[in-house]
Amino acid sequence: MPSPGPHEVLVRMEASGLCHTDIHAWRGDWPVKPDPPFVPGHEGVGIVEAVGSDVTRVSEGDRVAIPWLASACGSCEHCVAGWETLCESQENSGYSVDGAYAEHALADSRYVGVVPDGVNPLEAAPLTCAGVTTYKAVKVIGTGPSHLVAVFGIGGLGHLAMQYAQIAGGTVVAVDLAEDKLDLARRLGAAYTVNAREQDPVEVIQDLGGADQAICLAVSPRAFEQAFESLKRGGTLAMVALPADNHMTLPIFETVLKGITVRGSIVGTRNDLTEVFDLHAQGKTTVEYATRALDTVNEDFESVEAGEVSGRLVFDFAS
Ligand code: NAD
Ligand code: ZN
Ligand code: ZN
């Protein structure tokens, strides 16, 4: 049982989401590698059981969320500008520091999310990464009323991305390879769905006039290329997924002549997470999830990778 340092809290976990990033961490997919052994998980939600001597932001008994951004320096140009997610001294839960696949975890009290009353912890968990990441992506690409938004990959992130795009006023085209993911997209209000195994998404979306924004959440460089090709002139590609195969082909001529913007987007800030929880507390978002006990984690990684889970898989510590 770890004991909290001055700014830390000890959290008794209620729920912990399985993000595809945890699979990348397990496989060592990215240029920056984690250093095993470590505890994965950055969608942890639980109750503060003990607080360190300098903790003022939360108290024992509060429900908090442990996000990817475990901590940042608080004083660099990015932190000061409200871009703590770009801090070069940041730590990341379940990657550079131990995360939330645990009955108890330590977290920096200054960087935890505060989960409002009335938000189910099993739903708060996916919102802590999948929610905040896609909410931020929709914010930075500036989706608005009358925009056509192509969402590639209707998994943990994608099923929330399409809801934030719709909240911003956009009309959604959902693209996936699996029919059950597209059923979920239709239930969540997608105006159009494309099964990329059966139809060319670029053709379908260009026939609709082209997308104002395309958000790529599919773990495949080909999907990034299709997302790019589905844009209309002046459109924006949001790069969010992080496939092991780290490169896509980006045609210079088309990017220049069509005035395309390519925008990378990395998680979201504490303020973004507060907004995500507020929207959910107001009933404006739906979290699709299936629960498991942590004991099955190895099989669960494989089911998520095989695309067998609808929405998010959440470890339920009460079960
Ligand atoms: P997920 O496995 O839940 O969802 C991926 C979805 O993409 C699945 O529905 C799958 O069927 C679909 N898909 C796969 N190939 C496709 C293709 N060619 N075309 C269309 N759809 C396809 O994964 P997730 O947890 O939603 O994470 C998605 C990616 O986002 C991962 O790479 C993860 O590491 C990354 N991520 C990035 C950030 C960030 O801050 N940028 C944050 C969290 C996760
Ligand atoms: Zn994540
Ligand atoms: Zn900083």
Side-chain angles (χ1 to χ4, degrees):
M1 182 68 69
S3 65
H7 285 289
E8 287 179 329
V9 288
L10 175 67
V11 182
R12 175 174 49 79
M13 217 61 67
E14 299 173 292
S16 200
L18 195 176
C19 180
H20 208 113
T21 289
D22 299 325
I23 298 176
H24 295 308
W26 167 47
R27 291 211 186 282
D29 277 345
W30 294 343
V32 177
K33 311 283 178 200
D35 185 17
F38 62 95
V39 178
H42 56 271
E43 285 188 347
V45 171
I47 303 294
V48 173
E49 219 167 58
V51 299
S53 54
D54 295 344
V55 172
T56 52
R57 190 162 161 259
V58 292
S59 314
E60 265 174 53
D62 287 352
R63 177 168 287 131
V64 296
I66 301 180
W68 172 252
L69 190 75
S71 65
C73 81
S75 54
C76 70
E77 69 170 295
H78 307 296
C79 284
V80 170
W83 279 97
E84 62 214 40
T85 52
L86 301 182
C87 179
E88 292 195 56
S89 310
Q90 69 183 273
E91 299 286 357
N92 298 117
S93 307
Y95 211 90
S96 67
V97 297
D98 281 343
Y101 286 13
E103 290 164 323
H104 285 86
L106 291 178
D108 189 319
S109 62
R110 298 164 294 187
Y111 286 86
V112 293
V114 177
V115 184
D117 287 343
V119 173
N120 176 343
L122 295 168
E123 297 181 357
L127 295 173
T128 301
C129 175
V132 77
T133 298
T134 53
Y135 176 70
K136 185 66 161 191
V138 167
K139 254 188 172 178
V140 299
I141 60 180
T143 297
S146 88
H147 286 168
L148 184 67
V149 185
V151 179
F152 281 73
I154 308 297
L157 267 64
H159 90 285
L160 288 159
M162 56 169 287
Q163 297 181 61
Y164 297 122
Q166 291 173 145
I167 289 170
T171 299
V172 166
V173 192
V175 183
D176 206 290
L177 304 175
E179 209 46 47
D180 59 316
K181 311 277 179 146
L182 297 172
D183 284 340
L184 172 63
R186 283 186 283 269
R187 271 196 279 131
L188 295 171
Y192 309 95
T193 54
V194 185
N195 187 328
R197 279 196 208 285
E198 290 163 8
Q199 278 181 296
D200 177 3
V202 176
E203 213 168 281
V204 176
I205 297 167
Q206 287 300 349
D207 282 350
L208 293 169
D212 294 274
Q213 293 101 28
I215 308 175
C216 191
L217 310 158
V219 193
S220 146
R222 183 68 199 118
F224 280 75
E225 291 164 4
Q226 290 173 328
F228 173 87
E229 290 163 27
S230 71
L231 292 170
K232 67 156 65 149
R233 289 180 168 237
T236 300
L237 171 67
M239 299 173 69
V240 178
L242 291 155
D245 183 355
N246 193 20
H247 295 94
M248 67 178 284
T249 300
L250 185 68
I252 297 168
F253 183 82
E254 286 78 0
T255 305
V256 173
L257 268 80
K258 292 185 179 176
I260 300 294
T261 301
V262 176
R263 181 70 201 245
S265 192
I266 176 74
V267 293
T269 63
R270 290 166 286 184
N271 284 348
D272 295 319
L273 184 55
T274 301
E275 292 168 24
V276 160
F277 285 150
D278 283 349
L279 287 170
H280 195 67
Q282 290 170 40
K284 291 187 177 165
T285 46
T286 300
V287 179
E288 167 88 0
Y289 64 97
T291 58
R292 297 282 193 286
L294 191 54
D295 314 56
T296 57
V297 60
N298 290 344
E299 296 112 82
D300 296 333
F301 270 35
E302 275 153 24
S303 332
V304 170
E305 213 173 17
E308 291 163 6
V309 174
S310 182
R312 200 45 128 202
L313 198 151
V314 179
F315 298 113
D316 179 357
F317 288 85
S319 73

